[in-house]
Amino acid sequence: MKFSLNGISILLVLLSFVYSLYICYLCFNNVFDGAKLKYNSHQQLVVLKVEEDSLAEYAGLKKGDILLEIDGKTISKKKEPAESLLSGVYSVTVKRGTEVIGINTRETFLGYDIFFVFVIPVIFYLLCLFCIFFILKSNKSSKLFSSTFLF
């Protein structure tokens, strides 16, 4: 019984670590996720909708923006589907009304908001892993269930 609880606890810790890495990957590689794009009659790529509280809204995209450049490259006319153009993108240049705005998400990576969105949760996650490790290291059988429950 003791081995199975240790094994389950270690498996859960490893799975949660892999899942956390996957979430971080999604957050940093799909920073414009949540924006629905479509080509208009002038063959321009237009933002039709930005989902509320999405990464695209956080990055600064707004409904009605016309995309001019993606990662410094001008957009070619309808070569790729509009849905796949913003995956893995870090900067876009948009035309909003009469002004041209550059949105570079690499600059906002160390911004104030990312501290609360990413840094603090990661610190608490690592602190929990640290506590679980020391609870598992104690060889009292009553503590083993608490480490599984803590996780």
Side-chain angles (χ1 to χ4, degrees):
M1 184 69 160
K2 181 179 175 182
F3 175 73
S4 65
L5 285 178
N6 276 336
I8 290 171
S9 297
I10 291 171
L11 179 67
L12 288 174
V13 167
L14 290 175
L15 285 176
S16 70
F17 184 71
V18 170
Y19 180 72
S20 298
L21 290 177
Y22 176 69
I23 295 298
C24 292
Y25 171 80
L26 288 179
C27 288
F28 294 123
N29 287 318
N30 295 319
V31 291
F32 292 104
D33 193 30
K36 183 166 174 71
L37 306 174
K38 186 175 183 182
Y39 287 98
N40 65 8
S41 59
H42 302 291
Q43 302 300 317
Q44 296 172 318
L45 199 57
V46 179
V47 178
L48 291 180
K49 179 183 177 186
V50 178
E51 294 177 15
E52 190 176 336
D53 297 327
S54 67
L55 294 172
E57 181 185 50
Y58 176 72
L61 279 182
K62 297 193 185 302
K63 180 181 176 182
D65 286 350
I66 299 172
L67 275 69
L68 303 175
E69 293 180 349
I70 296 177
D71 281 340
K73 299 175 187 168
T74 56
I75 300 168
S76 54
K77 313 269 190 252
K78 289 194 177 186
K79 278 192 174 180
E80 290 186 51
E83 297 82 27
S84 66
L85 281 174
L86 290 181
S87 62
V89 171
Y90 293 103
S91 68
V92 294
T93 304
V94 298
K95 183 176 181 183
R96 187 175 295 154
T98 58
E99 64 180 316
V100 175
I101 300 169
I103 300 172
N104 187 353
T105 58
R106 290 201 188 264
E107 293 171 358
T108 60
F109 176 69
L110 295 175
Y112 179 74
D113 294 337
I114 201 72
F115 184 70
F116 293 103
V117 172
F118 182 72
V119 174
I120 290 177
V122 166
I123 289 172
F124 279 112
Y125 174 74
L126 292 174
L127 183 63
C128 286
L129 288 181
F130 188 71
C131 291
I132 289 171
F133 173 75
F134 280 109
I135 291 172
L136 281 175
K137 278 306 211 181
S138 67
N139 291 326
K140 299 177 185 171
S141 62
S142 62
K143 299 287 185 180
L144 290 176
F145 179 74
S146 66
S147 66
T148 307
F149 182 71
L150 175 65
F151 181 70

